[in-house]
Amino acid sequence: MTKYIFVTGGVVSGLGKGITAASLGRLLKARGLKVAAQKLDPYINVDPGTMSPYQHGEVYVTEDGAETDLDLGHYERFIDEDLNQYSNLTTGKVFANVISKERRGEYLGSTVQIIPHVTNEIKSFIYNVARKTQADVVITEVGGTIGDIESQPFLEAIRQVGQEIGRGNALYIHVTLVPYLRASGEHKSKPTQHSVKELQGAGIHPDVIILRCDEPIEDAGIFQKIADFCNVQPDCVIENVTIPILYEAPLMLEKAHFSDVVCRLLGIDAPGPDLSEWHALVQRIKSRKKSVTIGLVGKYVQLHDAYLSVVEALRHAGFELGTKVEITWIDSESIHADNYEAVFSSVDGILVPGGFGNRGIEGKILAARYARTHHIPYFGICLGMQIAVIEYARNVLGYADANSSEFDEASEHKVIDFMPGQNNEIEKGGTLRLGAYPCAIREGTVMARCYGKLLISERHRHRYELNNRYRKTLEDAGMIMSGLSPDGRLVETVELPENPFFVGVQYHPEFKSRPNRPHPLFVGFVQASLDNHERKVNENGREKPL
């Protein structure tokens, strides 16, 4: 029988429930168990696909094309299992399903209510993950904070799951804050006590309590006090202190026997975790000797979570290459013709990630121009590829008004345009080209060198593509169409051969990068940037300090 683990949070948001859930998933997988993970988000949006990155960070895309919460990226990177459309549920999706069923008469004339109809919809979603994945353990994170009004149906649903399958098959983990008061020089357990009391008021009695803190808790009495007050066993109160290396979290939690406790409470008989690969990963991270600076050019740079998977993929490549990747966050709106040379003079490589809308576009085009004319590594992802094409059309082909139809409908040279079947009349939510699609790579290209094969599959999230009317003109001028859809209709990647690494891809490779298995394009880009850095050092006769 599948075991179910529910992770909730209290006191404040942003405590790291997702990292706790992901770390536990890695630990249980290391014990030989098949693990699936999902996130329940209380907001009323159907999915985060139409939300501003400033509201909720990046939108993570699964293999089957679901637009999901960024925590699913943590799950995939830690657990190394592909998630799916059943891995993220929102209040909006729940209500849409319930209302649709009511309109079809599926409730046989019943008065539709939160209990049982909404809670049944949530439970069905939770159980579906187990059925679809045949997982031994399903880890479900409930978004938000205990006490939020919008979380109540989800809490009631997970309470009912525990009642239906029995406590030995369901486990509740509560992540809560233990603040450190510098004035008195002590940690305070009262917020945790109140948070657990609130959770108990919803009918859920946590089995394990994770104490999030910035400073190590040295007073053992706090652990005992929380265990006594919250009615859990002493070894079920586990410290989760802020650490400098994100991927050390599973190892830190396992020092407190986290997975042992979970397996004991769920009656799981499994061998101890084999964490040798993870220990080796952390050791590689700690032993990095080199350093490289990447200029990340975007318009949401004030919130770094807007580019979370890109940043993690860069770091993964650095782990592989023994290199610390320093990111210079560059607001594309701040770049103009008078300063762009100075802005990019100190970076070793330039990365332009995905995005939507015309704000900051001209600054991104200047970034691509600088990389092309100065022969420094450039990596364009989704919009970043389109930017490279626009810049090339303007400054090499001489089409001064070259643009995307997304940004300028009046342009006579729309080198980027709607994909077939896409237009302005289509509703925004869930209608992009989403999920994994194949790409055929041209031999002898940087793409072929990085991947080591000629047919790949990558995840997409876009509505616009390179306009095929300009394909031959661009190729004749020197731009290589290095990756195409297998039927040859869509340009998936472009390159400039005179640059050691100038690659634009229409898809999002960052979603498939893992800390112990970095994405080959990110490895190629970081290596090229490192080579560029070493070339500059040799020319200038000095090394950049770590």
Side-chain angles (χ1 to χ4, degrees):
M1 183 177 182
T2 299
K3 306 288 187 176
Y4 293 85
I5 298 173
F6 299 100
V7 181
T8 58
V11 184
V12 295
S13 60
L15 286 179
K17 296 191 303 296
I19 297 299
T20 299
S23 297
L24 177 58
R26 164 52 64 173
L27 293 172
L28 294 177
K29 183 177 180 179
R31 299 182 80 119
L33 299 171
K34 183 172 176 54
V35 180
Q38 65 178 180
K39 174 81 178 290
L40 308 181
D41 275 308
Y43 52 73
I44 299 178
N45 304 68
V46 172
D47 57 48
T50 59
M51 295 170 68
S52 164
Y54 282 132
Q55 291 286 311
H56 219 253
E58 74 171 9
V59 175
Y60 193 81
V61 178
T62 60
E63 284 282 297
D64 61 358
E67 294 178 292
T68 71
D69 181 80
L70 58 80
D71 273 325
L72 269 69
H74 289 312
Y75 302 161
E76 286 205 354
R77 286 187 286 271
F78 277 73
I79 305 173
D80 200 10
E81 295 286 344
D82 288 339
L83 303 181
N84 54 60
Q85 61 181 321
Y86 295 108
S87 300
N88 197 199
L89 181 67
T90 67
T91 296
K93 195 176 293 183
V94 172
F95 285 172
N97 291 347
V98 168
I99 291 171
S100 178
K101 289 179 179 179
E102 185 274 332
R103 293 289 83 186
R104 293 195 301 267
E106 291 188 22
Y107 297 126
L108 304 177
S110 297
T111 300
V112 179
Q113 298 176 294
I114 298 297
I115 302 172
H117 303 98
V118 169
T119 51
N120 282 350
E121 192 69 28
I122 296 169
K123 289 189 295 181
S124 174
F125 190 88
I126 294 170
Y127 291 138
N128 272 338
V129 172
R131 282 192 286 267
K132 183 174 178 62
T133 63
Q134 298 295 304
D136 299 310
V137 180
V138 174
I139 301 174
T140 302
E141 176 192 350
V142 180
T145 305
I146 296 305
D148 294 344
I149 292 174
E150 56 265 34
S151 297
Q152 291 176 0
F154 292 96
L155 296 177
E156 173 60 19
I158 67 172
R159 183 197 68 78
Q160 291 180 21
V161 170
Q163 184 180 42
E164 290 170 3
I165 65 177
R167 290 287 285 184
N169 297 310
L171 181 78
Y172 299 92
I173 297 174
H174 193 51
V175 182
T176 182
L177 178 69
V178 178
Y180 179 75
L181 299 186
R182 296 192 181 279
S184 59
E186 59 184 345
H187 285 90
K188 291 294 184 181
S189 65
K190 193 62 69 178
T192 294
Q193 296 175 34
H194 282 299
S195 181
V196 171
K197 185 177 181 180
E198 183 89 22
L199 185 61
Q200 290 171 337
I204 297 172
H205 297 267
D207 302 287
V208 178
I209 298 174
I210 304 294
L211 308 182
R212 278 290 288 117
C213 49
D214 286 329
E215 307 282 347
I217 301 174
E218 298 180 357
D219 182 2
I222 287 182
F223 293 91
Q224 188 62 52
K225 180 189 291 187
I226 291 173
D228 292 341
F229 184 90
C230 300
N231 196 29
V232 299
Q233 299 175 50
D235 67 343
C236 294
V237 181
I238 295 173
E239 179 185 54
N240 184 351
V241 68
T242 302
I243 49 177
I245 299 174
L246 177 68
Y247 297 106
E248 203 169 1
L251 304 181
M252 174 188 66
L253 290 169
E254 190 58 15
K255 286 180 180 178
H257 307 286
F258 189 22
S259 70
D260 288 335
V261 168
V262 167
C263 287
R264 183 187 77 217
L265 294 176
L266 286 174
I268 295 174
D269 183 14
D274 179 4
L275 294 170
S276 55
E277 182 183 11
W278 212 255
H279 278 289
L281 166 67
V282 172
Q283 186 55 41
R284 286 200 306 275
I285 296 172
K286 291 181 176 180
S287 62
R288 290 169 294 169
K289 301 297 183 184
K290 295 175 283 190
S291 180
V292 69
T293 300
I294 302 299
L296 193 154
V297 185
K299 62 180 181 180
Y300 307 113
V301 294
Q302 288 81 8
L303 181 66
H304 294 179
D305 274 359
Y307 305 106
L308 180 60
S309 290
V310 171
V311 170
E312 290 305 312
L314 286 170
R315 289 172 176 160
H316 300 165
F319 303 161
E320 177 81 5
L321 298 171
T323 299
K324 184 176 183 180
V325 178
E326 304 280 3
I327 296 175
T328 298
W329 297 90
I330 301 172
D331 185 345
S332 60
E333 288 191 279
S334 69
I335 303 170
H336 49 78
D338 294 331
N339 72 351
Y340 81 102
E341 293 269 354
V343 168
F344 295 114
S345 62
S346 60
V347 302
D348 303 312
I350 295 173
L351 189 150
V352 178
F356 296 90
N358 63 3
R359 182 169 60 86
I361 290 300
E362 294 303 318
K364 295 179 182 180
I365 291 172
L366 287 171
R369 179 180 179 180
Y370 184 91
R372 179 179 61 81
T373 57
H374 289 73
H375 299 284
I376 74 168
Y378 176 88
F379 192 10
I381 297 174
C382 197
L383 175 61
M385 168 188 153
Q386 298 171 7
I387 290 295
V389 172
I390 294 169
E391 189 282 325
Y392 201 77
R394 286 186 185 183
N395 299 309
V396 177
L397 298 182
Y399 301 150
D401 72 331
N403 219 320
S404 167
S405 58
E406 180 184 7
F407 312 135
D408 184 7
E409 277 287 348
S411 170
E412 293 186 13
H413 298 93
K414 298 185 183 72
V415 293
I416 305 296
D417 207 349
F418 280 115
M419 294 178 59
Q422 294 281 349
N423 59 67
N424 275 326
E425 304 305 316
I426 295 176
E427 289 186 356
K428 297 294 187 289
T431 59
L432 300 167
R433 188 183 192 218
L434 293 166
Y437 289 89
C439 171
I441 298 175
R442 181 172 170 178
E443 292 188 52
T445 59
V446 171
M447 285 281 295
R449 186 184 77 231
C450 288
Y451 279 98
K453 55 186 177 180
L454 298 181
L455 185 64
I456 60 169
S457 175
E458 294 283 3
R459 302 180 194 180
H460 292 246
R461 183 175 183 253
H462 62 103
R463 197 184 303 279
Y464 296 85
E465 267 278 0
L466 189 148
N467 188 339
N468 282 327
R469 289 173 50 201
Y470 294 92
R471 188 193 293 191
K472 186 176 186 307
T473 307
L474 289 163
E475 286 186 300
D476 289 344
M479 178 170 276
I480 297 175
M481 311 292 131
S482 56
L484 304 175
S485 58
D487 61 9
R489 295 176 61 211
L490 301 176
V491 176
E492 298 279 25
T493 72
V494 299
E495 296 180 16
L496 294 181
E498 63 270 20
N499 189 309
F501 191 103
F502 192 106
V503 175
V505 298
Q506 189 58 74
Y507 50 80
H508 288 269
E510 67 271 22
F511 294 148
K512 298 186 80 166
S513 185
R514 304 289 179 262
N516 51 343
R517 196 176 66 255
H519 194 283
L521 282 182
F522 280 89
V523 174
F525 172 62
V526 172
Q527 181 62 66
S529 300
L530 188 60
D531 293 341
N532 182 50
H533 168 69
E534 292 174 350
R535 175 187 59 78
K536 290 192 294 185
V537 168
N538 291 333
E539 291 175 356
N540 298 331
R542 65 180 185 277
E543 176 60 275
K544 180 172 63 176
L546 283 172

